[in-house]
Amino acid sequence: MITGVTKGIKVSVETTYQPEHSQPAQEHFVFTYRITIENSSNNTVQLKARHWDIIDAAFPVHEVDGEGVVGKQPVLEPGEIHQYVSGCNLRSGIGKMRGHYIMERIVDGRLFNVEIPEFIMIVPFKLN
């Protein structure tokens, strides 16, 4: 598990290769990632948007921007946790992702970025 903290917001990431959904002969490797967001600050915050850089070893960087996460814009009171699972397809079987969330501090509407720690995705058989 990879973890980072920005302004009291803790983001942890766990990745899993999904062999049953992958087709290595067609350069199609599927990974899921579970993200846990914990509000350790003293403020209520809302996750408004996300930005991802997806780096697939031998291919150009792919950027993804969008509202919320998996169709939600969760509000987290101090001490609350939000968890979700999403996925990523790679063509090379080796890659990484990094990014940030845009959060809003509810008390004053101030927006701020929360870094998502960079995490690596490698098909297990490519490690040997």
Side-chain angles (χ1 to χ4, degrees):
M1 180 185 311
I2 304 294
T3 299
V5 179
T6 306
K7 297 184 180 180
I9 309 300
K10 180 178 175 182
V11 179
S12 301
V13 186
E14 297 176 82
T15 61
T16 305
Y17 173 57
Q18 300 293 327
E20 65 279 5
H21 299 291
S22 299
Q23 298 176 333
Q26 284 76 43
E27 296 182 332
H28 182 78
F29 302 92
V30 178
F31 293 84
T32 56
Y33 52 89
R34 176 185 307 275
I35 298 209
T36 303
I37 304 166
E38 181 177 352
N39 184 0
S40 299
S41 78
N42 294 322
N43 297 294
T44 300
V45 298
Q46 183 174 20
L47 193 159
K48 302 298 276 185
R50 69 188 181 288
H51 171 85
W52 286 110
D53 293 323
I54 303 170
I55 299 103
D56 195 340
F59 300 92
V61 173
H62 179 67
E63 293 186 36
V64 176
D65 292 288
E67 290 186 4
V69 290
V70 294
K72 297 180 181 176
Q73 293 181 312
V75 173
L76 291 102
E77 301 285 340
E80 285 189 331
I81 293 173
H82 179 76
Q83 192 173 75
Y84 71 94
V85 176
S86 192
C88 176
N89 300 325
L90 297 178
R91 291 178 56 197
S92 70
I94 300 173
K96 59 186 175 179
M97 290 176 64
R98 62 177 173 243
H100 66 269
Y101 298 121
I102 299 172
M103 305 287 266
E104 178 182 4
R105 198 167 64 182
I106 299 299
V107 69
D108 60 8
R110 177 167 288 170
L111 298 176
F112 63 99
N113 287 352
V114 171
E115 295 302 313
I116 303 166
E118 184 173 276
F119 56 94
I120 297 171
M121 297 167 287
I122 301 176
V123 174
F125 63 79
K126 293 200 176 225
L127 291 172
N128 295 329

